[in-house]
Amino acid sequence: MSIALKDARQEKVIFKSRAWLAGVMVFLLLSALAARMVYLQVDQYEVFATKSENNRVQLKPVAPIRGLIFDRNGVLLAENLPSHSLTIVPERVDNMPETLALLQALIDLDDEALIRFKKRNKQWRRPYEPIPLKYRLEQADIAKIMVNSHFLPGVQVEAELVRHYPHGADLAHVIGYVGQINEKEKDRLDPVRYKATRRIGKIGVEQEYEDLLHGEVGYQKVETNAQGRILKVLDREPPKPGQNITLHLDAALQSTAIKAFNGRRGALVALDPNTGGILSLVSSPSFDPNPFVNGISHKAYSELRDSRDIPLFNRAIRGQYPPGSTMKPFIGLSFLEYGVTDWSEQIKDPGYYMLENDERVYRDWKRRGHGKVNLSRAIIESCDTYFYEMAFRTGIDQLAPFLSQFGFGEQSAMDIGNALPALLPTREWKRKHKGRSWYAGDTLNMGLGQGYMLVTPLQLASATSVYAAKGKRNKAKLVQYIDDRWLENDEDLPDVEILDAANWDKMNKAMNDVVISPSGTARAISRNLKYAIAGKTGTAQIVGIAQNEEYDSEALEERQRDHALFIAFAPVEAPKIALAVIVENGESAGLTAAPIARTVIDHYLDSLNRTTEVDYGG
Amino acid sequence: MAGDFIRHLDDSGMGTGRTLAQKLNIDITLFLLLLVLCVSGLFVLYSASGQNLSMVYRQGTYFLIGFSIMLLISQINPRWFQLAAPWIFGAGLTALLLVLLVGVGAKGAQRWLSVFGLFRFQPSEIMKLAMPMMMAWFLCSKVLPPQPKTIFIALLLIGLPAILIVKQPDLGTSLLVSVSGIFVLLFAGFSWRWILAAILMAMMAMPVMWYGVMHDYQKQRVLTFLDPESDPLGSGWNIIQSKTAIGSGGLEGKGWLQGTQSQLEFLPERHTDFIIAVYAEEFGLVGVLLLLGLYLLIIFRGIYMASRARDTFSRLVGGSLIVTFFIYVFVNIGMVSGILPVVGVPLPLISYGGTSIVTLMAAFGVLMSVYMHKH
């Protein structure tokens, strides 16, 4: 080891060797960069070219236009109206609280809309997807927002088509409504088909026919920048609009029926016995479906939900009532069918009926009794004692199967999915659900349509329609045409066949007398009848009346009064319309339910005649 | 082979007598290479700025200023650099201290010093020149290869400004300044054993850096570098998008102004740190190789010029400056193409920004000075 000294020559040699080394390193490292570039731009070119293209080009789904709904005469029942809504793209907003405060100062924004917006803002959504804040902007609101748009980055006014129901409450229980898709529905829906759709049918025809009404989603191929702003449209695949639906329903008839109810609680279903098509379906009171489309306010919804009259409840398809004496024509036919009696046999009615070895008194509605009664008279005057006796003779094991042929105890409507099957009791049913065996008294009650038996107005009307068509069963259905295609029955139901077909006409005569005979229970509607009508009244007790106690309607609260029922069809010789009416707490069927039926039938037959005249004239 | 080529380039500038360029202390070869690079850079910037002409004009102005400064500095005899080195270094350190005390800045970093409210500058930029000069000044008076004691003092001289810059915080610049000092050591004959030991120490220092020195955003950059897909919309976005831009350029590129990644703003910081991605997307692999070739020529020419300087101080300064220039190129392109973590280093003479241009051109001025003043 020598002492190190400064050596300029040595220093230069060192530098040169290090410089060479540096040169080599630089060359190698730049080659490494070049190799990296070759890897990215040659080997991985396809991958990145695709990625870049996906960056640039986006498929934007375009919502299809929802199919329209018409009534049988081409009257528009559900339409799509342009509406402007206020939306916000949170990604573009600099200061959300300030923006919301400014908007609140500009236009009328309720707290609920703000809460809903904030909730949506927290949920997952596609980046740059606008969140709606307010629907149905007024022109003035739009102007105010536009003028201040400079201070409102990320705030947009969007035009879209929004469902509107011009008939409002009249048809809410038939057509239903569409509403915002909720989380549960989102999981169930086809994510591709509903990519651009905001609303879905919630109840009624809108729900039942959602699949057809919705249509097929379309696409726009757009070039966007990194902020998601659309720069140009490269290609488009237009959406396929949903199919239009024509109902059997007659909007004018519906409106007449609702007016006839005059605000009373109840339900009416009218069908064309020749097709099973539902001409009118009323559940009174009803509600305006339009606020539901954009999300009804909590307050308005609570009011509807908590109302004592339960307007949201569809009585026509889900209300279950004891059918009362409206069962008598059906049950009367079963007596004949099983040969327990004939048209001529008379029994004596003292005003009550008693079983052997039983102390219970089964009372007739007429205290002093109807005297000597045969089947016709028992129908016309609605004699209870006669039906106690004959029901006893027939027995539940024959009554129940016979009635089930008319669709009682089952949900047989074709396109009303959430209608209830109500209840046709049998021995097995009682053992299973009540834990007791079937008593003879149960059969007696059933002979009057009381006791366990329950029907929905839809079911009662359908059964009446089958009856009117002399056993020909057409499924009840709302929809007539889809676009121009006639809606066929999905499956045929077995017709009701009776041993002696002449019994239909004889029973029709008795039912006609219910209206036109001076002793008929519905004689109040017989005035100025231009056609032959067959009908039957019924009352459904909703409060049990203790033995030997006077029935005093005055003392009962209005809401504890009996329900009034009426079934009818007309014209008797070739029925065009069959219906069932229930007026809750209507008490006297002949005075409350029957006049509604008369009004509806008058209107419908009149309208048919008018059409015929026009046809001839044309 | 490459050396022959550089020598050949050099010969073209060497006449029998002193040419005008020589009288003006200009190395024509380096001058022309830089000019080509800068003019190309303007075209790339036009595209990368979203066809913002005023930005291109401003960059052009920076280039004019930069070239002027280069020419001015190249007139100075390297002897003056040697005399001034400790003073410049001292001034730089003072400025760095001031930055920490009264500096201004943005995004949580204090990097700027405002001079009487007239103009603002980054003292760390001064260090990019002052560090090699100081190290060369220090080492050229010592016995080379450097003795352990010399190395220890040299490392202190590197460490002091490095720590001050890290505190701003600006890890990228700090590393680059340190590296420029270390290069001087390497050119001075820093022994391989020590280099090996230093690498080992650096590796051991990594956990200390991770837990003690690095800020969260710096750690995030490293994590994102290791796995950019882990945060595709957050910090991984930059790298994913720049790789996509480069890769989708393919062999021939999408054409000038046709790069969708850059023109549609998918690429972040496209006119500054990520400008190479714009270039690679629009001019493809062919363009990238041409650019790398251009850088290679400039660096080789620089190394050659440094090695031909007249004394140890000049050689050390020149060598360190040109290799540091290479490091800028390597770190920037390496970062944008996803083989290095994201550190804020612009692509020399292509990225938009006056500060970087002025510093770089000043460095080339020093390089020309040490090469041209042979006597």
Side-chain angles (χ1 to χ4, degrees):
Chain A
M1 283 280 276
S2 60
I3 299 165
L5 291 170
K6 279 291 283 179
D7 182 346
R9 202 174 192 80
Q10 165 82 4
E11 285 173 7
K12 190 163 183 177
V13 170
I14 293 174
F15 185 90
K16 285 226 161 151
S17 76
R18 292 285 159 104
W20 269 105
L21 188 71
V24 171
M25 287 302 289
V26 164
F27 182 77
L28 287 178
L29 288 172
L30 282 182
S31 301
L33 284 186
R36 172 69 175 170
M37 291 301 188
V38 170
Y39 171 74
L40 289 178
Q41 300 192 292
V42 179
D43 293 1
Q44 299 283 298
Y45 170 71
E46 291 293 336
V47 174
F48 288 117
T50 312
K51 231 177 183 170
S52 158
E53 192 66 7
N54 288 346
N55 263 346
R56 180 176 76 92
V57 176
Q58 278 183 15
L59 278 182
K60 279 200 97 90
V62 183
I65 298 171
R66 200 173 173 84
L68 304 175
I69 302 176
F70 299 96
D71 89 335
R72 66 188 297 119
N73 301 314
V75 176
L76 195 53
L77 307 180
E79 58 188 334
N80 305 306
L81 292 181
S83 161
H84 294 272
S85 39
L86 180 65
T87 64
I88 294 184
V89 180
E91 280 87 346
R92 300 216 181 101
V93 178
D94 302 329
N95 185 332
M96 186 63 85
E98 249 175 46
T99 302
L100 291 179
L102 179 55
L103 280 173
Q104 248 179 325
L106 285 174
I107 62 173
D108 180 35
L109 270 181
D110 53 6
D111 290 342
E112 217 168 306
L114 285 172
I115 290 165
R116 206 161 38 216
F117 170 80
K118 282 169 187 162
K119 204 172 117 203
R120 287 276 314 267
N121 195 13
K122 283 194 200 109
Q123 291 166 350
W124 185 91
R125 68 198 159 80
R126 293 183 278 270
Y128 292 97
E129 187 189 284
I131 303 175
L133 180 60
K134 189 182 182 180
Y135 298 97
R136 294 198 193 180
L137 292 177
E138 305 286 334
Q139 284 301 324
D141 289 347
I142 298 173
K144 278 182 202 160
I145 292 162
M146 289 303 178
V147 166
N148 289 283
S149 62
H150 183 68
F151 305 105
L152 295 166
V155 175
Q156 314 170 343
V157 173
E158 275 182 23
E160 60 168 347
L161 288 174
V162 171
R163 202 64 154 172
H164 181 246
Y165 305 103
H167 294 260
D170 276 11
L171 289 162
H173 285 301
V174 179
I175 293 174
Y177 53 82
V178 296
Q180 304 275 353
I181 295 174
N182 62 32
E183 293 293 323
K184 228 162 92 194
E185 289 159 340
K186 198 175 277 161
D187 295 341
R188 183 167 55 77
L189 292 172
D190 179 351
V192 176
R193 214 172 153 218
Y194 281 82
K195 205 160 181 182
T197 307
R198 280 197 192 158
R199 299 182 184 86
I200 184 179
K202 297 281 184 181
I203 59 166
V205 172
E206 292 275 30
Q207 181 201 35
E208 195 74 33
Y209 287 89
E210 171 64 32
D211 210 40
L212 298 172
L213 287 167
H214 179 264
E216 299 302 326
V217 67
Y219 281 97
Q220 269 191 340
K221 214 174 177 187
V222 292
E223 186 177 273
T224 60
N225 65 9
Q227 280 78 53
R229 193 170 304 136
I230 295 172
L231 301 177
K232 61 180 168 214
V233 177
L234 303 172
D235 192 13
R236 62 177 88 217
E237 158 95 37
K240 265 204 215 106
Q243 289 172 286
N244 292 342
I245 281 178
T246 304
L247 303 182
H248 284 282
L249 194 119
D250 183 329
L253 183 71
Q254 176 87 355
S255 156
T256 300
I258 288 169
K259 277 197 206 92
F261 268 90
N262 196 21
R264 297 203 72 140
R265 293 179 307 282
L268 174 147
V269 178
L271 300 94
D272 179 350
N274 306 299
T275 59
I278 293 173
L279 301 170
S280 174
L281 186 145
V282 174
S283 176
S284 175
S286 184
F287 62 95
D288 184 2
N290 286 307
F292 285 86
V293 175
N294 288 324
I296 188 168
S297 78
H298 190 72
K299 184 167 161 279
Y301 181 73
S302 320
E303 260 169 39
L304 284 174
R305 189 194 52 200
D306 301 336
S307 162
R308 214 178 156 200
D309 292 340
I310 43 175
L312 294 176
F313 181 62
N314 192 336
R315 291 166 162 84
I317 64 170
R318 296 180 68 84
Q320 303 182 83
Y321 303 87
S325 299
T326 55
M327 274 300 97
K328 281 176 181 164
F330 303 96
I331 291 173
L333 272 185
S334 81
F335 299 159
L336 298 168
E337 190 64 12
Y338 295 115
V340 300
T341 186
D342 55 28
W343 288 99
S344 55
E345 185 189 2
Q346 288 189 328
I347 65 159
K348 201 168 173 302
D349 169 24
Y352 61 91
Y353 182 80
M354 284 183 79
L355 287 167
E356 278 178 56
N357 308 324
D358 188 353
E359 299 195 344
R360 194 187 150 108
V361 178
Y362 294 88
R363 292 184 302 162
D364 195 288
W365 65 271
K366 206 168 180 179
R367 276 184 64 81
R368 291 191 199 90
H370 296 268
K372 284 196 167 183
V373 183
N374 64 6
L375 181 52
S376 289
R377 228 183 126 199
I379 293 279
I380 297 163
E381 297 175 17
S382 201
C383 170
D384 294 339
T385 306
Y386 180 90
F387 276 84
Y388 287 134
E389 165 69 20
M390 296 306 166
F392 177 68
R393 289 188 201 172
T394 310
I396 179 65
D397 298 329
Q398 290 189 322
L399 266 179
F402 187 83
L403 289 179
S404 84
Q405 296 183 90
F406 289 89
F408 290 111
E410 64 181 42
Q411 200 302 96
S412 57
M414 190 165 135
D415 51 9
I416 308 178
N418 47 359
L420 290 180
L423 180 61
L424 179 64
T426 59
R427 252 182 232 283
E428 293 73 42
W429 172 85
K430 193 180 174 195
R431 201 174 300 124
K432 201 169 155 202
H433 289 90
K434 299 285 173 186
R436 292 201 205 138
S437 52
W438 187 269
Y439 301 130
D442 294 328
T443 309
L444 299 195
N445 278 330
M446 188 146 158
L448 261 62
Q450 304 279 7
Y452 299 118
M453 185 165 185
L454 293 172
V455 299
T456 65
L458 171 64
Q459 220 166 33
L460 194 54
S462 303
T464 308
S465 164
V466 172
Y467 180 94
K470 295 184 176 167
K472 171 89 189 113
R473 284 191 78 180
N474 285 303
K475 277 191 160 189
K477 53 185 161 292
L478 286 165
V479 171
Q480 192 172 15
Y481 294 102
I482 294 163
D483 276 347
D484 292 328
R485 190 160 38 84
W486 173 264
L487 186 75
E488 295 290 341
N489 279 343
D490 47 3
E491 56 168 327
D492 280 332
L493 296 170
D495 291 341
V496 183
E497 282 179 36
I498 55 175
L499 291 172
D500 183 1
N503 285 337
W504 292 114
D505 289 327
K506 289 180 185 165
M507 187 62 83
N508 286 353
K509 171 79 179 69
M511 285 174 77
N512 183 233
D513 282 342
V514 168
V515 178
I516 59 172
S517 155
S519 61
T521 50
R523 59 188 176 274
I525 60 164
S526 63
R527 189 175 295 174
N528 297 330
L529 268 177
K530 291 189 193 117
Y531 48 84
I533 181 173
K536 182 68 194 81
T537 55
T539 44
Q541 291 177 17
I542 53 172
V543 177
I545 296 157
Q547 290 283 303
N548 304 320
E549 193 183 312
E550 275 301 309
Y551 177 98
D552 181 2
S553 69
E554 296 295 318
L556 289 170
E557 268 265 354
E558 192 265 347
R559 278 181 196 262
Q560 289 173 315
R561 289 179 194 162
D562 288 348
H563 295 327
L565 291 88
F566 191 64
I567 60 169
F569 60 89
V572 173
E573 57 285 2
K576 297 270 193 321
I577 179 170
L579 54 70
V581 186
I582 289 177
V583 178
E584 286 185 10
N585 316 116
E587 200 163 22
S588 166
L591 295 177
T592 55
I596 294 175
R598 165 92 198 259
T599 308
V600 168
I601 295 172
D602 277 358
H603 176 111
Y604 185 66
L605 294 182
D606 266 6
S607 75
L608 284 185
N609 288 337
R610 268 202 304 279
T611 326
T612 318
E613 279 163 25
V614 170
D615 278 353
Y616 283 129
Chain B
M1 196 183 77
D4 290 344
F5 178 63
I6 299 301
R7 210 164 293 130
H8 173 73
L9 283 173
D10 177 54
D11 291 341
S12 66
M14 297 283 271
T16 39
R18 272 172 68 81
T19 61
L20 179 68
Q22 284 169 327
K23 281 180 194 149
L24 289 172
N25 295 313
I26 296 171
D27 178 54
I28 281 295
T29 311
L30 183 62
F31 186 90
L32 289 178
L33 289 172
L34 290 175
L35 198 63
V36 172
L37 184 64
C38 292
V39 172
S40 321
L42 286 179
F43 280 95
V44 182
L45 181 66
Y46 179 67
S47 173
S49 63
Q51 301 166 32
N52 182 341
L53 258 185
S54 70
M55 195 181 272
V56 174
Y57 287 144
R58 251 176 288 150
Q59 179 88 333
T61 313
Y62 295 145
F63 280 143
L64 279 181
I65 296 170
F67 272 90
S68 311
I69 286 177
M70 176 177 79
L71 293 182
L72 272 177
I73 290 179
S74 76
Q75 307 313 313
I76 302 169
N77 193 297
R79 200 176 336 135
W80 294 105
F81 297 143
Q82 197 169 353
L83 285 172
W87 300 101
I88 300 174
F89 187 76
L93 270 187
T94 315
L96 282 177
L97 270 172
L98 283 175
V99 163
L100 290 183
L101 297 175
V102 296
V104 291
K107 291 184 196 170
Q110 276 190 354
R111 295 174 183 173
W112 300 80
L113 206 56
S114 179
V115 181
F116 307 121
L118 290 174
F119 63 96
R120 305 197 307 178
F121 76 106
Q122 290 190 51
S124 54
E125 290 294 318
I126 295 180
M127 269 300 159
K128 285 179 180 171
L129 288 175
M131 173 61 78
M133 285 189 189
M134 181 65 190
M135 288 298 289
W137 173 84
F138 173 68
L139 288 173
C140 78
S141 65
K142 298 286 185 282
V143 172
L144 297 181
Q147 305 298 301
K149 189 184 152 198
T150 314
I151 292 170
F152 179 73
I153 297 171
L155 288 179
L156 276 184
L157 287 173
I158 294 171
L160 204 59
I163 288 171
L164 290 177
I165 298 171
V166 160
K167 283 277 173 200
Q168 287 182 359
D170 187 352
L171 186 65
T173 308
S174 169
L175 285 174
L176 289 169
V177 167
S178 309
V179 158
S180 71
I182 288 166
F183 281 136
V184 180
L185 267 177
L186 290 178
F187 278 116
F190 190 45
S191 87
W192 293 113
R193 263 181 304 168
W194 282 98
I195 294 171
L196 216 70
I199 291 173
L200 277 175
M201 270 176 64
M203 284 174 73
M204 290 195 308
M206 271 160 104
V208 179
M209 292 280 282
W210 184 261
Y211 292 108
V213 183
M214 286 171 80
H215 283 253
D216 280 344
Y217 81 95
Q218 292 161 339
K219 290 183 191 174
Q220 189 58 49
R221 279 185 188 175
V222 176
L223 288 177
T224 304
F225 160 67
L226 294 175
D227 182 17
E229 308 285 336
S230 67
D231 186 12
L233 288 177
S235 37
W237 168 270
N238 291 11
I239 282 306
I240 292 171
Q241 295 304 332
S242 70
K243 277 164 72 181
T244 306
I246 296 170
S248 66
L251 203 59
E252 292 169 5
K254 296 174 185 171
W256 190 48
L257 304 179
Q258 302 299 310
T260 52
Q261 281 288 106
S262 23
Q263 302 303 330
L264 299 178
E265 295 168 37
F266 284 97
L267 214 79
E269 300 178 43
R270 53 194 177 135
H271 63 283
T272 55
D273 290 0
F274 282 76
I275 198 164
I276 183 70
V278 178
Y279 179 79
E281 185 185 21
E282 298 191 346
F283 296 95
L285 183 63
V286 174
V288 170
L289 291 181
L290 281 175
L291 183 70
L292 288 178
L294 189 56
Y295 276 123
L296 189 67
L297 289 180
I298 290 171
I299 293 160
F300 277 7
R301 179 68 189 168
I303 294 175
Y304 171 76
M305 286 164 69
S307 66
R308 293 295 293 268
R310 62 173 181 182
D311 55 29
T312 303
F313 172 81
S314 303
R315 281 193 294 270
L316 291 180
V317 171
S320 165
L321 287 175
I322 193 66
V323 178
T324 308
F325 174 81
F326 159 73
I327 291 296
Y328 289 162
V329 175
F330 184 76
V331 168
N332 176 272
I333 300 180
M335 145 188 118
V336 177
S337 64
I339 53 175
L340 292 176
V342 175
V343 283
V345 175
L347 183 64
L349 303 180
I350 305 282
S351 287
Y352 177 78
T355 310
S356 154
I357 289 172
V358 167
T359 312
L360 285 167
M361 295 309 280
F364 281 112
V366 173
L367 194 61
M368 283 197 182
S369 158
V370 301
Y371 174 63
M372 299 305 290
H373 295 86
K374 293 213 173 80
H375 306 291

